[in-house]
Amino acid sequence: MEIRLDNKKALVTGAGRGIGWGIVRGLVECGAEVYALSITKANLDDLKLEFPPIHTVQADLSDWEATRAAVEGVGTIDLLVNNAAVSPSPMPFVDTDKKTYEDVFSVNLMAAINVSQVAARGMLASGRGGAIVNISSVNACIAINKTSPYNIAKAGLDMMTKCMAMELSPTIRINSVNPTVCMTAMGKHHWSDPKKADPWKARHPMGRFGEVEEVVNTVLFLLSDKASYTTGTCVPVDGGLLCN
């Protein structure tokens, strides 16, 4: 099944590395015009060198008004991937301070709401509609110890997906993708110790962690017309973790 996104204008947040980088690559390969958003200029510069046709947008998603201005500056888009996220160090629930919750919620949930509002208004006004994919996590579905801010924010993102789908269908389709541990550079760094990684891998029926391409392929499908009757869903890319 070939996926083509020619003549589609796409925006990816958190595009500077990891899954976001992979999504940009996939969109370019499928023929989309891509706008890559990140807070880090160096990452955007590297991305531009790798994929010269893309447009780069530098913005701090924790700044509501600056983010809104940056996304409005892109103009009307057809496809949006809310990928940006932060993950704090593990901490017991009773010891997690207000600022940590605010910082995580600001990027992982509120920024997705903000960017989606701007994008969806443009999609509705254009009459063309569009598709939005939110990059969530298995942490939205199962409680992972000592990561309550991240877990709660991702659960909120899944509910945002459903609420948006309810209100914006059939003009705009909105879905979430929920990966498990993925072998990005950061994933490889944090899960390089077999004593830590092996027990967690054992909970996955597939017996391994995910690869970036496996997440990207699901995202591209959901953005494409191949998924024309799919909206309001949260799609695990988890090697079977959630069935175990």
Side-chain angles (χ1 to χ4, degrees):
M1 180 176 63
E2 183 182 18
I3 293 175
R4 297 301 306 170
L5 298 170
D6 302 285
N7 302 314
K8 299 290 187 181
K9 185 175 177 180
L11 172 65
V12 182
T13 70
R17 59 183 180 178
I19 292 174
W21 182 291
I23 292 169
V24 169
R25 181 187 62 214
L27 286 167
V28 169
E29 291 174 351
C30 289
E33 178 186 4
V34 181
Y35 285 75
L37 187 152
S38 173
I39 191 174
T40 307
K41 185 178 185 302
N43 289 345
L44 289 174
D45 290 343
D46 289 344
L47 197 61
K48 181 72 172 177
L49 286 173
E50 184 78 14
F51 309 106
I54 70 168
H55 310 272
T56 59
V57 182
Q58 187 179 7
D60 179 355
L61 292 177
S62 67
D63 185 326
W64 182 275
E65 295 302 332
T67 295
R68 221 164 177 84
V71 176
E72 288 171 350
V74 171
T76 301
I77 61 174
D78 304 292
L79 310 171
L80 169 64
V81 182
N82 285 307
N83 172 70
V86 296
S87 180
S89 299
M91 186 178 299
F93 172 79
V94 295
D95 296 328
T96 305
D97 58 28
K98 178 183 177 183
K99 186 176 187 306
T100 299
Y101 278 102
E102 289 176 342
D103 289 347
V104 174
F105 290 176
S106 176
V107 175
N108 294 16
L109 180 57
M110 295 304 297
I113 293 171
N114 193 13
V115 174
S116 295
Q117 282 187 338
V118 176
R121 284 173 179 159
M123 291 175 182
L124 293 171
S126 73
R128 299 194 306 268
I132 297 172
V133 173
N134 299 315
I135 305 301
S136 183
S137 171
V138 293
N139 292 54
C141 309
I142 54 175
I144 308 298
N145 196 32
K146 297 183 179 180
T147 57
S148 60
Y150 188 83
N151 297 350
I152 295 166
K154 289 299 188 181
L157 190 63
D158 280 1
M159 182 51 68
M160 183 191 97
T161 298
K162 297 176 186 294
C163 291
M164 289 179 65
M166 182 71 71
E167 290 193 29
L168 299 175
S169 295
T171 309
I172 305 172
R173 295 185 302 103
I174 303 95
N175 295 284
S176 290
V177 172
N178 298 60
T180 185
V181 174
C182 193
M183 289 292 92
T184 61
M186 185 177 294
K188 291 174 182 177
H189 173 74
H190 286 298
W191 294 91
S192 59
D193 183 356
K195 291 181 180 179
K196 176 183 177 182
D198 288 352
W200 187 236
K201 284 182 183 177
R203 292 184 60 180
H204 297 68
M206 294 289 286
R208 62 176 176 84
F209 295 142
E211 299 293 339
V212 170
E213 184 177 356
E214 293 171 318
V215 178
V216 172
N217 288 341
T218 304
V219 172
L220 294 176
F221 168 73
L222 291 172
L223 289 174
S224 76
D225 291 340
K226 305 293 185 183
S228 58
Y229 198 54
T230 303
T231 195
T233 63
C234 302
V235 182
V237 183
D238 70 341
L241 173 66
L242 295 181
C243 75
N244 186 357

